Amino acid sequence: MVVATNGFPSSNATIPPTNISPNAILPLDRGDPVVFEEYWKKMCESCTVVIKGWELMSYLSDMSNVCWYMLPEMKEAIKRLHHVVGNAVTEDRYIVVGNGATQLLQGAVFALSPSEANSQPINVVAAVPYYSEYQDEVDILRSGLYQWAGDAASYEKNEPYIEVVTSPNNPDGTMRGPVVKSEAEGKLIHDLAYYWPHYTPITHQADHDIMIFTFSKCTGHAGSRLGWAIVKDIEVAKKMTRYVQMSSIGVSKESQTRVAKIMGVICDGYQNFGSMKSELFFEYSKRILKQRWEKLWEVIEESKVFSVAKYPKAYCNFTNESSESFPGFIWLKCKEGIEDCGSYLLEKLKIRAREGERFGVSPKYARISMIGTDDEFNEFLKRVSNAKKECD
Ligand code: PMP
């Protein structure tokens, strides 16, 4: 292990000690969003949901809705949250809930695939670096309806395609639009998992054909497995609902009840209902991510080993101030001489990152989670800071 143990002035002096052994492998390859746990501990009482043994037993919720398994209070909470934040249009749109954005992405690909028998599988693309799970989500069943076709920017086939646009993007935090140049017929799915004010300025109300959001990255409640899609076309909404029906006959009502409750608590805070003793959620979450990014910059700016691209400022209509982005991941690039960033991190610093190849790019890049525990983050800073000293 190449970690030096003394003589670290400046940035290292500001890194608090951690309870993690210097020899332990730091698992920062996953994006488990536990960073906001402290906030929800403080909000404990107002977010508690009690469900009696006889309640929520039926499969059905609202048979007059296209998404018949969605609880009416779930739908209202989603619409209210988007109204408060101003990040997406929900008026005259269909809402489909799913077991996370993961199920809805697959449902959307299914819904946009050709329904005629004998048609070729439609190509699914996303611009590199793309979210590492898309390829497997599309290819796992070796479906005859759709197939993964890689980088959207280099798609040149004259065949119909589906482009997944992830904005802000996972892993690199950039704001994106569609990039395919082919003349063929193309359909879009917008994955807006990170289009929330703590990660990026809310510059406009998104209004695309299919927009996918997830509670996992909005509040950190990944364990509730709840995502939703906002859909313009009723036929697409019906097919997505059918997909969820065929894979899980709906979405847990316990989850829907809990998520609707927590969304309501967030919105009450902003709309001044009830007594809000704690900081408002997006103020808290942005403050925490901003602090982490500022500490990271201190370390990266002095690093001879790693670099990270800077994010431009933009005016946020939600916070009414100009701000940078504070993404959920660090998209790390190793400097000259280190060809495999993931192996360097693991072998020299005992940090497990997700390697660039998983995102369709060079191994010079690796993704590190910014949304783990404080201890993990501080230990990461310490080790990266030490790596810098090693190379001085
Ligand atoms: N899309 C993106 C861009 C993501 O980063 C994630 C989670 N890492 C997902 C979808 C999946 O989210 P969920 O937990 O809702 O399945």
Side-chain angles (χ1 to χ4, degrees):
M1 171 104 170
V2 197
V3 174
T5 49
N6 54 16
F8 316 127
S10 66
S11 53
N12 205 48
T14 65
I15 303 170
T18 76
N19 290 319
I20 298 176
S21 150
N23 292 319
I25 292 197
L26 213 48
L28 298 178
D29 50 334
R30 278 182 243 114
D32 200 16
V34 293
V35 55
F36 308 129
E37 199 176 83
E38 282 310 308
Y39 183 83
W40 297 114
K41 273 190 189 158
K42 278 193 225 141
M43 300 297 288
C44 179
E45 251 174 70
S46 52
C47 293
T48 298
V49 173
V50 178
I51 298 169
K52 302 196 179 75
W54 55 268
E55 289 176 325
L56 307 179
M57 290 178 67
S58 169
Y59 283 120
L60 317 178
S61 290
D62 176 4
M63 297 314 282
S64 68
N65 197 302
V66 167
C67 185
W68 50 267
Y69 52 79
M70 175 169 60
L71 291 170
E73 58 266 37
M74 178 77 266
K75 181 177 123 194
E76 290 314 314
I78 290 169
K79 290 177 81 168
R80 185 177 173 206
L81 184 63
H82 285 297
H83 174 73
V84 165
V85 174
N87 59 344
V89 172
T90 59
E91 280 301 293
D92 301 321
R93 300 289 181 270
Y94 299 94
I95 295 176
V96 180
V97 293
N99 290 280
T102 301
Q103 190 182 37
L104 289 168
L105 189 278
Q106 294 171 69
V109 169
F110 166 78
L112 297 182
S113 297
S115 45
E116 310 79 47
N118 307 325
S119 46
Q120 285 292 316
I122 191 166
N123 295 305
V124 183
V125 294
V128 295
Y130 44 69
Y131 172 45
S132 52
E133 306 310 281
Y134 290 147
Q135 176 165 6
D136 287 353
E137 285 172 19
V138 169
D139 275 347
I140 187 165
L141 295 179
R142 297 192 197 150
S143 165
L145 296 178
Y146 47 81
Q147 65 191 9
W148 180 249
D151 183 16
S154 48
Y155 184 78
E156 281 170 356
K157 292 183 191 166
N158 198 15
E159 292 168 11
Y161 65 90
I162 299 170
E163 179 176 357
V164 185
V165 178
T166 315
S167 186
N169 191 36
N170 175 359
D172 66 3
T174 55
M175 297 304 288
R176 289 179 151 192
V179 299
V180 170
K181 290 193 193 74
S182 165
E183 299 285 293
E185 187 200 352
K187 295 174 181 172
L188 300 176
I189 299 171
H190 279 78
D191 181 340
L192 305 186
Y194 300 93
Y195 192 45
W196 295 102
H198 40 333
Y199 299 113
T200 196
I202 302 302
T203 55
H204 64 288
Q205 261 195 315
D207 188 16
H208 308 287
D209 289 350
I210 304 179
M211 301 187 280
I212 298 178
F213 289 91
T214 167
F215 207 49
S216 306
K217 299 301 152 89
C218 173
T219 60
H221 292 86
S224 292
R225 306 305 307 123
L226 197 127
W228 63 97
I230 304 173
V231 181
K232 279 189 187 166
D233 180 345
I234 188 169
E235 295 308 322
V236 173
K238 279 184 187 166
K239 281 191 183 169
M240 290 179 70
T241 302
R242 171 116 181 107
Y243 181 89
V244 176
Q245 179 178 343
M246 288 301 106
S247 67
S248 55
I249 322 186
V251 174
S252 154
K253 289 188 183 177
E254 282 85 346
S255 276
Q256 294 190 53
T257 306
R258 181 179 189 221
V259 170
K261 172 78 180 178
I262 295 173
M263 284 180 175
V265 168
I266 294 174
C267 293
D268 284 352
Y270 284 99
Q271 295 180 326
N272 298 318
F273 294 134
S275 63
M276 195 71 182
K277 291 184 209 89
S278 304
E279 208 175 348
L280 297 170
F281 175 67
F282 292 115
E283 273 63 13
Y284 172 89
S285 48
K286 183 171 176 184
R287 182 169 62 76
I288 297 294
L289 288 177
K290 185 170 189 244
Q291 278 168 4
R292 286 195 179 184
W293 275 96
E294 281 168 357
K295 284 187 192 168
L296 177 82
W297 284 124
E298 276 185 48
V299 169
I300 291 292
E301 266 157 18
E302 291 179 32
S303 178
K304 297 213 169 90
V305 182
F306 303 108
S307 67
V308 179
K310 288 259 184 188
Y311 296 97
K313 277 193 166 187
Y315 189 80
C316 177
N317 298 330
F318 177 72
T319 57
N320 291 322
E321 59 181 21
S322 184
S323 164
E324 288 134 350
S325 291
F326 305 111
F329 299 98
I330 310 165
W331 187 229
L332 213 52
K333 187 176 184 200
C334 274
K335 293 189 176 169
E336 285 315 305
I338 303 170
E339 294 310 316
D340 188 334
C341 193
S343 300
Y344 179 89
L345 284 162
L346 190 59
E347 283 159 25
K348 305 286 186 196
L349 307 182
K350 298 206 170 178
I351 296 169
R352 184 169 290 124
R354 197 169 282 184
E355 310 86 357
E357 293 109 306
R358 294 272 306 275
F359 306 88
V361 298
S362 136
K364 270 186 157 298
Y365 290 89
R367 191 196 75 173
I368 298 280
S369 170
M370 255 306 205
I371 48 182
T373 65
D374 279 343
D375 256 11
E376 283 170 349
F377 177 67
N378 289 323
E379 187 63 26
F380 168 76
L381 288 183
K382 197 169 88 189
R383 293 186 192 185
V384 168
S385 182
N386 289 348
K388 170 198 72 181
K389 301 300 167 198
E390 270 293 305
C391 291
D392 276 350

